Amino acid sequence: MNILELSEQEIIRRNNLQQMRDLGIDPYPAGEYSTTAFSTEIKENFVDLPVVGKDDEGNDIRETATSENSRNVCIAGRIMSKRIMGKAGFAELQDSKGRIQVYVTRDALANGEDTTLYNTVFKKLLDLGDFIGIKGYVFRTQTGEISVHAMELTVLSKSLKPLPIVKTDAEGNVYDSFDDPELRYRQRYVDLIVNDGVKDTFLKRSIILKTMRAFFDRHGYTEVETPTLQAIAGGASARPFITHFNALNIPMYMRIATELYLKRLIVGGFEGVYEIGKNFRNEGMDKNHNPEFTCMELYVSYKDYNWMMAFTEQLLEKIAIAVNGTTEVKIGDNIVNFKAPYRRLPILEAIQEKTGYDLSTMTEDEIRIVAKKYGVEDTEKMGKGKLIDEIFGETCEGTFIQPTFITDYPVEMSPLTKMHRSKAGLTERFELMVNGKELANAYSELNDPIDQYNRFVEQMKLADKGDDEAMVIDHDFMRALEYGMPPTSGIGIGIDRLAILMTGQPSIQEVLLFPTMKPESKA
């Protein structure tokens, strides 16, 4: 880096780095540094030593800490604050679990007459953000704070950029806050260091995934992996990312869904399979969408969408309790309760309930008129199913706050779904709406290969009309269906959106460690 581009603080830190090296201290030492405890464990397990007397000022004198009473610890972490008071000082150390105060004295760190480690290294050369290791014993200060008295100090890593340390004064005013969303998402590593609660969101996301996997595994279903690069972008109505495979000189697509490959495995004899992985859709970004997102898809043989609704209720109730200790989650101004059962409402009834229009009796042209009334644009390129979907999105979707299964979609909207067993023109499909957004999409899967082929042909007609999200025919999937697929139910759940709900966050960027960002300006 050009020295002219460095800030004053960065220059000071580089000078401190060199001075450490001049003293024979490696600021980036190799080898393991074995810790024995985390900050939170030290505080949770601390028990005050017995009082053995009083000092001249009437303060309690406690029994001296020794290795026999297990007070000795070795910890490591990042310096978040430092206060020097002559021959002693305090540092706040942050490890992966939390923070703890460290008490550092000149005499404890002295090597005979050599006080360099305290007087030079600790007082002058260590900066906020540096990593250090501390060996010492745990005690409670006169102010009552559980702390570690440092007997050894090891420099583990020098920080060359100053942290935006967030400070709050006595009146509650916050200074140096690192709260600009673009900076937070672009520099998530800084966000995690300085902003309380950010790491907790991602720990909760991890609990969601662990709970989900454990739930599926307990039912005997198998986690699998399917191709991310695919010759055909199938399994959903979405615009794909396109790349080129040089070795075969063919275009390839980043997958938009895992559905068709997972169904191949049901054909192959698996009872139930699921995959938690990345999908990619070239459709823009907003607070609810990221072009790269995580989705879970599950397929279980000999089941239908009614079974899947009950199964989904059990899953989400269990996840809510695992993450928050309760089925109720506060999301903005709403309290969402994931306690089963959830309401079930056919989509056409939902639209009629909100608008007064019975679309089941209308022609495509009549539905197009209704769509235009509710602000749907470019309706000429849309078929009947797409029009109904847009009308639902404009008039209904945002109104379902509590978990609600929207069921029985028209066949035009559901090219991979089995026809409804008793309602002509409809399919056995549901979408789960929570807090005004779709969380899950599920079917009684279409396993009639002739019907499936005809559905694909209808999708191609929509593509000819200009629908760039229409599905194409996957001939290998068709061949798999012709070998026979048992009755099957499948579901897809957006993990990012589930994380938004379970953690009460306002946007998808808050639950993605590294959301997609526009290129950083170099100006």
Side-chain angles (χ1 to χ4, degrees):
M1 178 178 288
N2 189 331
I3 192 68
L4 296 178
E5 297 176 352
L6 298 176
S7 68
E8 180 182 358
Q9 277 294 316
E10 289 173 312
I11 293 172
I12 290 172
R13 285 168 179 254
R14 279 165 170 75
N15 289 336
N16 290 346
L17 173 76
Q18 187 57 50
Q19 289 183 59
M20 282 187 183
R21 286 182 166 144
D22 293 342
L23 290 169
I25 297 172
D26 185 353
Y28 305 104
E32 180 183 7
Y33 189 84
S34 298
T35 60
T36 62
F38 291 108
S39 57
T40 50
E41 296 171 348
I42 292 172
K43 293 177 180 179
E44 289 167 2
N45 297 330
F46 181 82
V47 177
D48 282 313
L49 292 167
V51 175
V52 295
K54 298 281 187 179
D55 62 17
D56 293 340
E57 298 177 355
N59 299 312
D60 290 339
I61 299 175
R62 296 187 179 274
E63 181 180 296
T64 304
T66 66
S67 58
E68 284 73 25
N69 55 42
S70 302
R71 296 270 169 171
N72 288 350
V73 295
C74 179
I75 61 173
R78 189 189 293 272
I79 300 173
M80 299 303 290
S81 68
K82 191 172 72 167
R83 291 179 289 129
I84 304 297
M85 299 171 292
K87 298 178 183 179
F90 290 93
E92 185 180 38
L93 217 59
Q94 177 172 289
D95 62 18
S96 62
K97 303 294 186 181
R99 297 185 182 187
I100 193 166
Q101 180 172 268
V102 175
Y103 179 56
V104 185
T105 66
R106 183 195 68 181
D107 294 342
L109 296 186
N111 181 13
E113 298 296 319
D114 185 359
T115 60
T116 301
L117 192 56
Y118 178 81
N119 284 333
T120 303
V121 177
F122 180 74
K123 287 178 69 173
K124 300 175 182 178
L125 302 184
L126 283 177
D127 298 299
L128 302 191
D130 290 353
F131 281 90
I132 59 172
I134 295 292
K135 292 182 180 179
Y137 62 86
V138 186
F139 74 110
R140 189 187 295 276
T141 66
Q142 292 296 337
T143 60
E145 185 166 354
I146 298 170
S147 306
V148 177
H149 192 304
M151 304 305 290
E152 295 182 26
L153 184 153
T154 303
V155 178
L156 297 176
S157 183
K158 191 85 181 82
S159 171
L160 299 183
K161 280 188 175 292
L163 287 173
I165 301 295
V166 182
K167 301 172 186 174
T168 305
D169 63 19
E171 286 73 40
N173 300 309
V174 178
Y175 299 93
D176 299 325
S177 58
F178 189 74
D179 56 7
D180 178 79
E182 182 168 341
L183 274 178
R184 288 183 53 238
Y185 305 151
R186 198 180 295 280
Q187 298 181 31
R188 181 69 82 187
Y189 37 88
V190 178
D191 188 31
L192 288 164
I193 295 168
V194 303
N195 285 329
D196 293 337
V198 174
K199 182 184 287 186
D200 186 56
T201 294
F202 294 100
L203 293 175
K204 287 182 176 181
R205 181 184 173 115
S206 179
I207 292 171
I208 291 170
L209 293 173
K210 289 178 182 177
T211 306
M212 182 176 283
R213 282 190 167 97
F215 188 77
F216 294 156
D217 294 346
R218 191 162 56 252
H219 282 79
Y221 307 142
T222 304
E223 184 172 12
V224 298
E225 294 178 301
T226 61
T228 301
L229 279 177
Q230 301 181 356
I232 293 174
S237 298
R239 187 182 300 118
F241 285 93
I242 306 173
T243 186
H244 188 81
F245 186 14
N246 291 335
L248 295 180
N249 193 29
I250 58 172
M252 297 289 283
Y253 302 89
M254 301 294 286
R255 71 179 177 201
I256 57 176
T258 56
E259 177 168 347
L260 300 187
Y261 280 93
L262 292 174
K263 286 182 182 177
R264 286 169 167 91
L265 298 179
I266 296 295
V267 171
F270 281 89
E271 177 196 0
V273 292
Y274 70 94
E275 182 169 9
I276 300 173
K278 295 287 189 181
N279 290 340
F280 306 85
R281 298 184 182 179
N282 198 357
E283 300 173 341
M285 300 182 294
D286 58 34
K287 69 177 185 177
N288 295 305
H289 298 89
N290 194 68
E292 172 186 356
F293 63 98
T294 303
C295 187
M296 184 288 301
E297 290 199 43
L298 166 74
Y299 294 84
V300 184
S301 55
Y302 309 111
K303 306 297 183 185
D304 66 5
Y305 80 139
N306 292 310
W307 175 90
M308 187 62 81
M309 279 187 261
F311 185 80
T312 302
E313 290 171 337
Q314 296 171 39
L315 171 65
L316 295 180
E317 183 175 323
K318 185 168 290 291
I319 289 174
I321 293 172
V323 173
N324 296 299
T326 174
T327 59
E328 292 188 345
V329 181
K330 190 174 190 307
I331 308 169
D333 295 330
N334 300 320
I335 300 293
V336 175
N337 193 343
F338 286 94
K339 179 71 176 176
Y342 306 157
R343 184 188 183 194
R344 291 151 167 76
L345 180 65
I347 186 171
L348 295 179
E349 291 183 23
I351 292 173
Q352 186 171 7
E353 186 179 278
K354 301 298 180 182
T355 69
Y357 290 103
D358 182 1
L359 302 188
S360 65
T361 64
M362 294 185 180
T363 65
E364 183 174 309
D365 287 338
E366 290 171 331
I367 294 174
R368 187 168 284 111
I369 292 171
V370 174
K372 288 179 179 178
K373 177 177 179 180
Y374 288 101
V376 178
E377 300 178 354
D378 298 325
T379 59
E380 300 306 319
K381 295 181 180 180
M382 300 180 191
K384 185 175 182 180
K386 184 76 169 178
L387 289 166
I388 291 172
D389 190 31
E390 292 292 328
I391 292 170
F392 178 81
E394 291 293 332
T395 63
C396 303
E397 185 172 306
T399 67
F400 294 106
I401 303 303
Q402 298 306 317
T404 305
F405 291 116
I406 303 299
T407 68
D408 304 344
Y409 284 68
V411 64
E412 298 89 348
M413 298 176 66
S414 313
L416 299 170
T417 312
K418 188 182 285 289
M419 295 296 294
H420 200 285
R421 66 197 74 180
S422 61
K423 299 178 182 178
L426 303 180
T427 61
E428 295 194 348
R429 172 186 176 187
F430 72 78
E431 288 187 348
L432 176 59
M433 299 294 163
V434 183
N435 201 46
K437 294 294 178 183
E438 175 197 343
L439 174 61
N441 187 23
Y443 319 143
S444 293
E445 300 294 336
L446 179 57
N447 60 343
D448 178 342
I450 296 174
D451 189 1
Q452 181 64 83
Y453 180 78
N454 291 333
R455 304 271 194 98
F456 277 143
V457 170
E458 291 301 314
Q459 285 288 300
M460 297 301 288
K461 291 179 181 178
L462 293 176
D464 291 339
K465 292 175 66 174
D467 187 347
D468 57 5
E469 295 185 352
M471 292 187 192
V472 296
I473 300 177
D474 186 332
H475 291 285
D476 179 69
F477 174 67
M478 288 303 312
R479 179 168 55 195
L481 278 189
E482 289 173 356
Y483 279 101
M485 185 175 82
T488 299
S489 184
I491 188 170
I493 296 177
I495 298 299
D496 306 321
R497 195 163 289 180
L498 179 58
I500 290 173
L501 294 170
M502 292 297 174
T503 61
Q505 295 296 328
S507 72
I508 193 171
Q509 288 79 15
E510 294 291 344
V511 299
L512 297 176
L513 281 168
F514 302 104
T516 302
M517 305 286 292
K518 64 182 179 181
E520 192 169 1
S521 174
K522 299 299 182 182

